[in-house]
Amino acid sequence: MKLKDNWKKWITVICFLALLAGLVPVLYLAGYVHATGDDFGYGVRTHAAWLDTHSLIEVFRASIETVRMIYGGWQGTWFTLFLFTLQPEVFSPDAYWIVPILMIGLTIAGVSIAGYYFLVRKAGFSRISFWAMDFLILFILIQFVPSTKSAIFWYNGATHYVIPFFLALVAITVSGLYMDTGKIRFLIISFLCMTCLGGSSYLAALLAPIVIVFLWLLYGHKERRSLWLLIPIAAEMVGLVISLMAPGNQIRAGEDLGVSVGRTVWTIAESFRQGVLTIAEYLTEKPVMFLLMLPMAVIIWMELNGQKKKYAYKFPGVFIAAMFCIYCAMFAPGIYAGTELSGGVPNTIFQVFVLTMTASLVYFLGWLQAHTGNSADGQKKAARGTKRRYIIAVAVGFVIFLGGVFLCRSTVKETTFFVCAEYILSGQADDYKAQMKERQAILLDDSIRDAQLPAMNSDQGPFMHMEVLKDPEGWTNTVVRDFYRKDSVVEIDRIQ
C-alpha cells in the first residue's frame, strides 16, 4: 500500500505541474486581450450609462433595455444576453484582463466540484486520486479545446458557453447532493442555476436536466424527496420557453425554424451520426488526448484496487451507452436550429465528450476489476508480487505513452500551450498589444470625432479580433463608433 500511495502522490504532482505549466502562456496573455466586435455591440448602452452616471442601477436599467431589444431582434437567450452587456470594458478600458482568468477559473471550479461529488462522494475515491484525475481532466479540457477564443479569451463567446457549462455542472452536483441528503440549500442552489440555464446556451440547458434525470433513475428514485427536483427542472423549462419564443429567433434562423415530428426524429438520428464522426475526428486530430487516458486508467485502476469497500458496476454496456447518448445530445440544438454555429458549440461538445469518456472509463474499469478476481483475499495472497507488478505496469505504460506522444508530436503543436506560446514568441502578441494601445488612444480621445484606425491583422492567433473596415457603415465600425461615441470610425492603411 505504501508503494501505491507513493505512486499516487507522484502522479498527482506530475499532473498538477503539467496543468500549471500549460496555463503559463495563457495567463501571460491575460494582459494583452481587449474587447472586440459583439462586446462593443452589446455594451453600447451600459457603457454610456456608466460614463454618464457611474451608477450600477443605471447600468442595470441599460442592460435590461439592451436585452429587450436583442430579444425582439436577434436571439432569446435572455440570461447570457444580460451578461453580454456587462463586458469588462464597459467599466474600464483596461479591465478585459479578467476575462481569461474568469473563464479558466469557472472551468476549473465547475469540473472540480462535479468531479469531487462523483468520484469521492459517490465512487469512494481517495482525495489524492481525485486530485490526480481532476488535474489531468482539466489539462485535457484546456489544452485540446477546439476554440481558445470562445473558451478563454473572448468575453462574448466564452460567456455564452463557459458560464452556462459551469452552472450546469453545479446544478447537476447540488441536485445529486439533494437526492443524497435532502438539505434544502442544495435544492435552492439547483433552482437558481436551472433558472439561469433557461436563458442560456441550449447545450448546457439540455445537459443539466438530462443528467439529473439519469441520476434520478440511477439512484435518486429511492428517495421520494428527489421529486422536488421537478421544481428547478420546471423553472428551466419556463426559461427555455421564454427564450425559444423570442421574435429574434425567427429573424436569426429564418422561416424554416419550427417544431415538427419529422424534424425532431431527423435531429436525433443526425445527432448520433455526427457524434460518431466527431469521435473519429478527435482520434485523427487529437490523438494525444486519448493517450492521456493511459495514465488516467492507471490512476483509476490503482484506486479501485485499493478500495476496501467495493462498489457495484453491474451494467457497463448500459452505462457507456447512456454516456454516449448524453454526448450525442449536445449536437441536437445546433442541428435542429440549422444555423451557423459559433466556436463555443464544438467547445461544449468536446467538454461533454471528455467528461462522459472519463465516466465510462471509471465504470468499465470498476466492472473489469470486479470480474478479474481482485478481491481483498486475492490481494493478500499476491502481496509479494505487488511491488513488481506496479513497477512493470507503470514502466510499460510510460514507455507506450512516450512513444505515442512522439509519433503524434505534430498534433501537440496545436495545443493551447503551443498556440499561445507561438503567438508570444513570434512577437505577434507584442505587436497586437502596441497596436491596440495605439487604437485605444485614438478612440478614447474626445477631441477626435472621426476616428481613423491604422489597419491591423485580423488573424490574432488565440484571440478573437473583429477588424474594422474601410467602409464606415460596416457592422464592426458602427458598434465601435457607438461604444466610443464617435461620429465615424474607419480603417486606414498603416504607414510603414
Side-chain angles (χ1 to χ4, degrees):
M1 291 296 292
K2 184 177 180 181
L3 175 67
K4 183 164 58 178
D5 290 340
N6 286 336
W7 277 114
K8 287 181 182 179
K9 291 177 182 178
W10 278 110
I11 292 174
T12 302
V13 169
I14 292 170
C15 291
F16 173 71
L17 292 177
L19 174 64
L20 199 62
L23 288 175
V24 169
V26 179
L27 296 177
Y28 178 83
L29 288 174
Y32 287 68
V33 287
H34 286 281
T36 187
D38 293 350
D39 292 324
F40 294 125
Y42 289 108
V44 168
R45 289 174 180 80
T46 48
H47 183 52
W50 180 252
L51 290 178
D52 292 341
T53 67
H54 278 77
S55 166
L56 291 176
I57 294 176
E58 291 304 316
V59 171
F60 180 78
R61 288 175 178 170
S63 180
I64 297 300
E65 176 61 19
T66 302
V67 172
R68 186 189 66 80
M69 294 186 65
I70 302 299
Y71 182 86
W74 186 241
Q75 69 185 73
T77 50
W78 47 270
F79 177 67
T80 49
L81 286 177
F82 172 75
L83 297 179
F84 289 167
T85 66
L86 303 177
Q87 64 99 345
E89 288 193 10
V90 162
F91 304 99
S92 169
D94 300 315
Y96 210 79
W97 60 268
I98 198 174
V99 174
I101 294 175
L102 174 64
M103 299 309 165
I104 291 174
L106 289 175
T107 299
I108 292 174
V111 172
S112 300
I113 289 169
Y116 186 88
Y117 172 72
F118 287 110
L119 291 174
V120 178
R121 188 179 181 95
K122 303 306 293 184
F125 276 45
S126 64
R127 286 179 172 82
I128 191 71
S129 294
F130 156 70
W131 285 119
M133 290 184 64
D134 188 51
F135 296 145
L136 189 52
I137 292 168
L138 288 168
F139 178 84
I140 293 171
L141 289 175
I142 294 171
Q143 294 303 321
F144 296 96
V145 67
S147 172
T148 55
K149 299 175 176 67
S150 296
I152 301 172
F153 294 111
W154 183 33
Y155 179 82
N156 188 270
T159 294
H160 194 48
Y161 294 98
V162 175
I163 293 179
F165 187 65
F166 166 78
L167 291 174
L169 292 177
V170 172
I172 291 166
T173 302
V174 295
S175 296
L177 286 168
Y178 178 71
M179 294 181 201
D180 296 339
T181 67
K183 293 180 179 179
I184 193 67
R185 65 173 180 267
F186 295 129
L187 183 63
I188 293 173
I189 297 173
S190 177
F191 176 82
L192 294 174
C193 290
M194 296 290 280
T195 299
C196 293
L197 283 171
S200 304
S201 159
Y202 297 138
L203 279 74
L206 187 60
L207 175 66
I210 287 178
V211 176
I212 291 171
V213 170
F214 177 72
L215 296 181
W216 183 85
L217 293 172
L218 201 61
Y219 58 83
H221 65 277
K222 298 176 183 178
E223 299 289 346
R224 292 186 63 184
R225 61 173 176 256
S226 299
L227 292 175
W228 285 103
L229 288 169
L230 290 173
I231 295 176
I233 291 176
E236 185 191 294
M237 294 302 108
V238 171
L240 277 174
V241 169
I242 294 172
S243 179
L244 292 169
M245 290 180 63
N249 290 337
Q250 194 72 41
I251 296 173
R252 184 174 187 175
E255 297 179 357
D256 292 336
L257 185 64
V259 178
S260 70
V261 175
R263 190 183 184 95
T264 301
V265 173
W266 175 80
T267 297
I268 294 172
E270 183 65 13
S271 295
F272 281 106
R273 189 183 76 87
Q274 290 199 18
V276 173
L277 292 176
T278 301
I279 292 176
E281 290 178 5
Y282 290 158
L283 285 166
T284 303
E285 300 172 2
K286 307 176 190 293
V288 176
M289 178 183 76
F290 292 92
L291 286 173
L292 289 171
M293 289 296 107
L294 284 174
M296 182 81 74
V298 171
I299 297 168
I300 296 169
W301 188 265
M302 290 170 65
E303 173 61 32
L304 293 171
N305 194 46
Q307 285 183 345
K308 294 181 180 180
K309 180 182 178 182
K310 298 298 180 180
Y311 293 81
Y313 298 92
K314 296 181 179 180
F315 307 105
V318 175
F319 185 87
I320 293 171
M323 293 299 101
F324 180 69
C325 289
I326 291 172
Y327 153 70
C328 289
M330 296 301 98
F331 291 89
I335 294 172
Y336 194 90
T339 57
E340 184 179 354
L341 303 178
S342 67
V345 173
N347 284 353
T348 301
I349 291 172
F350 170 75
Q351 290 167 329
V352 173
F353 171 73
V354 172
L355 297 183
T356 53
M357 179 173 63
T358 303
S360 298
L361 185 61
V362 171
Y363 201 98
F364 174 74
L365 291 178
W367 172 84
L368 184 63
Q369 189 156 110
H371 289 75
T372 55
N374 280 326
S375 62
D377 292 336
Q379 290 180 40
K380 290 179 181 178
K381 293 179 181 178
R384 292 182 179 179
T386 299
K387 181 177 180 179
R388 186 174 63 181
R389 286 201 307 272
Y390 275 116
I391 292 175
I392 292 174
V394 172
V396 171
F398 186 68
V399 171
I400 294 174
F401 175 73
L402 288 181
V405 171
F406 177 77
L407 293 174
C408 305
R409 61 190 181 278
S410 61
T411 61
V412 174
K413 295 181 180 179
E414 298 176 6
T415 60
T416 299
F417 174 88
F418 276 96
V419 170
C420 292
E422 183 180 15
Y423 186 63
I424 295 167
L425 296 175
S426 67
Q428 192 175 358
D430 286 332
D431 287 343
Y432 173 82
K433 186 175 184 179
Q435 291 172 10
M436 287 303 297
K437 185 176 181 180
E438 169 192 55
R439 178 164 291 193
Q440 281 194 319
I442 296 171
L443 293 169
L444 293 171
D445 188 341
D446 292 335
S447 66
I448 300 176
R449 303 308 311 154
D450 296 297
Q452 297 181 328
L453 306 179
M456 290 177 59
N457 178 11
S458 60
D459 182 8
Q460 293 295 342
F463 292 172
M464 172 64 80
H465 180 67
M466 299 182 188
E467 182 59 340
V468 297
L469 306 174
K470 293 185 177 181
D471 178 9
E473 296 305 315
W475 182 82
T476 305
N477 298 59
T478 60
V479 294
V480 173
R481 176 198 67 197
D482 295 342
F483 188 88
Y484 287 100
R485 296 176 161 181
K486 300 298 182 183
D487 293 334
S488 67
V489 172
V490 295
E491 177 194 76
I492 60 172
D493 294 331
R494 179 172 291 278
I495 300 175
Q496 302 296 328

